[in-house]
Each structure stands twice: as structure tokens, then as C-alpha cells.
Amino acid sequence: MIVSNEPSFDAPIPGMSLTHELGARPWQTPAQFSTVDETIEYYMGRMTSEEFIQQLIDVLEMGVPVTTVANTIQLSGVMEGKHSVDTGMLVVPLLMEMMMMLAESAGIEYDSGLEDPDKNKTRKTLLAKYAVQYQRELDKVDLDDMVDDKTESEEEEKEPKGLMARRN
Amino acid sequence: MSRALTDIVLAYKNMDIENLNMPSEKTESKGLLNRTTPATRNLDYSSPAVRVGMQMQTIRKYREQNKNDSV
């Protein structure tokens, strides 16, 4: 990872979020829809419009996963003050189901986003762990001693085989 | 996969809508007052998750119907 030494000034300063008047943002006011049923009704009304379906199909055809789209939709609902974060999380599975149904009805290939792409990959941390273990094992063993022992034992094992060799 | 998306995937997979209307296990008693019709699982219909599950079930049925029609 490359870490820049130059200071970054393109970030909010500490406490910046507290400088605005409390309640001025939509998500700081009571949500417009307080129940799951109301929220579902709101989303179903939007999702069944022709314009939304066309845009959704375009986005899914580009390879954007359904999970990402559903999360974006519910997050924008929270930011607009339509519902709370909790209600949004409860509604997300239904949004996903609805979007998958729309995609299948349109007959397009889509990525549901439910499969973990890194599932069968070996984790780098796991490799690093085994590398450290291997290094420790190597450090424990004194290779010079092993080489000396081996040569000594080889010398001991050599028995004279000649006709004139001494026999005990 | 980001943390938010992992939570969403878990929320979707844990809905368990296939077993939402499963009848409860049959009791073995043979008395006269024994229930003859199978009892459905005691679902709390006021629970928001159950309500979402019920709606999901309807959409899932429609999806499967669509799949079967296209095959």
C-alpha cells in the first residue's frame, strides 16, 4: 500500500458535522414512513414504474450486483428522510427479491451479489501466518550442526571393504 | 465485499421464507380433544420481519412461476 507523506486537506475537519443546526438535515427529522408496510408501499410504487424498470435493467446489464443497487436505494431513502436505517435494513431483502424478479421477467443475465467472490481464494493473512510459522521452525534448527552431524555419521558408517581390511 | 453489503446478504439469506408457512410438528396424542387439522407455526404477524417475509414469499412464488413458464 502506498502511503502519501503529503497532508490531505480534502477531508472534513473534526466537529464539522456539528456545525450545522440540529434537525436541518432530512435524516435528523422524524422519518416520513415509520412502519415497514408504509415503506414497502412507497418502494413498490416507485419500482413498478416503467422508467425505474428500464433504468434498473440497464444498470443490472452493466454488471452491477443487485445487493449494491438495493443498498443504494435504501440508503438514499434514509438520506431523504423517508424511513429510518432500521426500516431500510428490514426492507432490503424485499427490494432485492423484487429487482431479481424484474430482471428475470426482462430476461437478462444479472449478478445477484449473494455469492462471495473471495470464497475459494486463499487469504493473504493465512499465507503470511504459515510463512511466519515456517520461518520460526527454520530458526529453531541449527543447519550448521546438522551438516556437521551428517558428515560425522557418514564417516562413521564407512566400513573398509577391501580384502586386506581389518576385521574385528 | 464491503461490510454493509455483507449485512444485506446475511439479511436476505436469513429470511427463511421457504419455511414460513410450514405446519408445526404433529403431536402424537390420540385423545378425543386432539387437533385434527394441522396447526401452522405460531408466527407473530405484527413482527416487521414476518410481514416482509410474507411479501417476499409472494414475489418468490411469482418468480418461480415465471421460471417454470419459460422452461
Side-chain angles (χ1 to χ4, degrees):
Chain A
M1 197 173 90
I2 300 165
V3 180
S4 172
N5 289 328
E6 290 178 18
S8 171
F9 297 109
D10 191 23
I13 57 170
M16 195 170 166
S17 62
L18 307 172
T19 55
H20 213 278
E21 196 180 334
L22 189 66
R25 303 287 188 207
W27 60 88
Q28 289 173 338
T29 55
Q32 194 178 336
F33 307 117
S34 55
T35 63
V36 166
D37 291 334
E38 284 173 343
T39 315
I40 289 172
E41 207 177 318
Y42 164 70
Y43 280 121
M44 288 300 126
R46 279 185 63 188
M47 289 175 90
T48 45
S49 71
E50 194 66 40
E51 190 188 352
F52 178 87
I53 294 171
Q54 196 55 52
Q55 284 177 354
L56 177 76
I57 288 166
D58 289 345
V59 169
L60 293 180
E61 268 188 322
M62 281 193 290
V64 180
V66 173
T67 47
T68 310
V69 181
N71 190 37
T72 311
I73 289 174
Q74 75 90 17
L75 209 61
S76 69
V78 173
M79 287 180 74
E80 287 169 16
K82 296 289 181 196
H83 54 79
S84 65
V85 180
D86 303 349
T87 314
M89 280 305 287
L90 278 164
V91 167
V92 156
L94 185 71
L95 297 183
M96 286 175 62
E97 195 72 28
M98 185 72 182
M99 281 192 273
M100 286 194 267
M101 193 264 283
L102 290 172
E104 283 166 12
S105 300
I108 58 160
E109 292 281 320
Y110 65 93
D111 177 14
S112 66
L114 295 170
E115 294 84 25
D116 190 359
D118 299 330
K119 197 178 177 184
N120 294 324
K121 281 185 188 168
T122 311
R123 284 177 285 127
K124 284 181 181 171
T125 49
L126 190 72
L127 288 173
K129 183 183 147 192
Y130 284 121
V132 168
Q133 276 181 2
Y134 182 65
Q135 190 59 47
R136 278 186 193 151
E137 290 294 321
L138 278 180
D139 291 345
K140 276 182 198 171
V141 180
D142 192 357
L143 288 173
D144 293 336
D145 279 357
M146 276 185 76
V147 172
D148 289 345
D149 289 347
K150 203 174 178 184
T151 48
E152 279 169 18
S153 60
E154 276 174 4
E155 280 168 10
E156 282 170 11
E157 281 170 11
K158 276 182 187 171
E159 281 182 19
K161 302 261 181 179
L163 284 171
M164 301 292 286
R166 177 179 282 184
R167 299 188 190 265
N168 294 331
Chain B
M1 198 185 289
S2 74
R3 174 76 200 274
L5 292 183
T6 315
D7 291 341
I8 286 169
V9 171
L10 278 177
Y12 182 84
K13 286 183 176 171
N14 289 340
M15 283 307 283
D16 194 27
I17 55 171
E18 286 85 5
N19 303 322
L20 209 61
N21 283 342
M22 288 282 282
S24 61
E25 285 173 18
K26 226 176 180 179
T27 49
E28 293 295 321
S29 61
K30 304 264 181 183
L32 285 171
L33 294 172
N34 188 26
R35 194 185 185 117
T36 50
T37 52
T40 50
R41 266 197 319 186
N42 290 329
L43 285 174
D44 180 13
Y45 288 99
S46 62
S47 163
V50 173
R51 297 169 86 88
V52 171
M54 299 289 281
Q55 303 228 25
M56 269 181 81
Q57 211 176 26
T58 313
I59 299 174
R60 180 72 59 88
K61 268 183 197 167
Y62 188 77
R63 270 180 73 191
E64 279 165 10
Q65 201 180 329
N66 260 2
K67 267 185 198 170
N68 294 336
D69 287 349
S70 63
V71 172

